[in-house]
Amino acid sequence: AQTVTQSQPEMSVQEAETVTLSCTYDTSESNYYLFWYKQPPSRQMILVIRQEAYKQQNATENRFSVNFQKAAKSFSLKISDSQLGDTAMYFCAFMKRIQGAQKLVFGQGTRLTINP
Amino acid sequence: DTAVSQTPKYLVTQMGNDKSIKCEQNLGHDTMYWYKQDSKKFLKIMFSYNNKELIINETVPNRFSPKSPDKAHLNLHINSLELGDSAVYFCASSRTGTLGTQYFGPGTRLLVL
């Protein structure tokens, strides 16, 4: 079974700083996808970034980038120039296809606070 | 304009009652999901339907019964509610064959007293 581990329950940084959230996963599959979702206090789950395992190039979305190390099964999220609006729970997720559906397995989450 | 909507957003009820949560998506997706987020914020998949067919059915008590009348709707009915059912329930949807991005509804906070 796939597992996803986020070893940092909470993190706190100052506005404009760079912060990296860690995620490791365990799987025997070779083709899969990885995601970072953000959940602000509003409770809405928002996709931050995604990575296909067969792509060596790290995904980037504006201030958000990942460091994907397939051999090490590591998928960390870097937030540059952090903003107050980045304050949220961040979930790393592993996805595998099951017939016509996609099963997401989530990590425990990291609560990130951006301080003014 | 809402992509994935859920009703109600809040639900407070007594133990032993039966309740339903409705989910609708207007994204044209053919796969829908139910997730449960517990008090520690842990998210776990419960069910998935693809074209109204049950694809994923995790270890969930029989008191939980999903129903998909069409591709745009996936409802969750819970019988004989228990205290441990208190959680936030999220509906999500995706399109088969895409990169797997799931779009989530706003969640329904269920409190069983």
Side-chain angles (χ1 to χ4, degrees):
Chain A
Q2 289 79 23
T3 58
V4 179
T5 302
Q6 293 179 247
S7 58
Q8 304 149 314
E10 293 188 28
M11 295 189 74
S12 179
V13 297
Q14 295 298 118
E15 196 176 3
E17 288 184 348
T18 294
V19 59
T20 299
L21 280 58
S22 302
C23 174
T24 58
Y25 59 94
D26 187 25
T27 184
S28 57
E29 306 204 7
S30 57
N31 189 22
Y32 51 87
Y33 301 90
L34 296 163
F35 299 83
W36 279 97
Y37 278 89
K38 166 185 175 180
Q39 187 179 39
S42 66
R43 200 171 69 203
Q44 180 71 50
M45 292 290 289
I46 302 166
L47 176 68
V48 175
I49 199 166
R50 63 188 175 206
Q51 174 83 41
E52 297 97 86
Y54 63 87
K55 288 189 177 179
Q56 290 188 336
Q57 186 173 6
N58 289 324
T60 299
E61 289 286 343
N62 300 315
R63 298 182 296 107
F64 299 87
S65 61
V66 299
N67 183 3
F68 174 47
Q69 303 288 328
K70 191 172 183 179
K73 295 180 182 174
S74 170
F75 183 60
S76 61
L77 174 69
K78 185 171 87 170
I79 306 174
S80 302
D81 186 25
S82 57
Q83 301 175 358
L84 297 178
D86 296 333
T87 293
M89 283 288 289
Y90 285 81
F91 293 95
C92 177
F94 171 98
M95 190 277 283
K96 62 176 285 188
R97 292 190 192 280
I98 299 179
Q99 297 178 12
Q102 297 119 4
K103 179 178 177 179
L104 275 175
V105 177
F106 286 91
Q108 308 94 315
T110 295
R111 185 180 299 278
L112 175 64
T113 301
I114 309 298
N115 299 306
Chain B
D1 290 325
T2 304
V4 183
S5 60
Q6 294 179 227
T7 53
K9 288 190 176 175
Y10 298 94
L11 189 53
V12 181
T13 187
Q14 299 289 328
M15 258 192 337
N17 284 350
D18 303 339
K19 289 294 178 185
S20 291
I21 306 172
K22 295 185 176 182
C23 178
E24 177 181 2
Q25 55 93 6
N26 62 5
L27 296 168
H29 290 167
D30 50 9
T31 307
M32 298 184 72
Y33 310 80
W34 277 110
Y35 288 85
K36 178 181 179 181
Q37 186 174 40
D38 63 24
S39 57
K40 295 183 179 178
K41 301 291 187 184
F42 186 65
L43 268 159
K44 191 173 191 302
I45 191 168
M46 300 172 69
F47 302 103
S48 174
Y49 270 76
N50 176 253
N51 285 316
K52 301 195 297 176
E53 181 185 351
L54 182 63
I55 300 296
I56 298 173
N57 186 354
E58 294 291 293
T59 310
V60 178
N62 291 337
R63 301 181 293 102
F64 290 78
S65 53
K67 284 186 173 53
S68 181
D70 56 56
K71 286 195 301 184
H73 296 84
L74 179 62
N75 304 322
L76 182 65
H77 189 75
I78 315 171
N79 290 326
S80 303
L81 279 155
E82 300 177 358
L83 294 177
D85 297 333
S86 294
V88 179
Y89 292 86
F90 285 96
C91 177
S93 71
S94 67
R95 189 190 305 277
T96 307
T98 62
L99 292 177
T101 299
Q102 294 184 18
Y103 295 87
F104 285 77
T108 295
R109 183 178 292 279
L110 171 65
L111 179 59
V112 182
L113 302 175

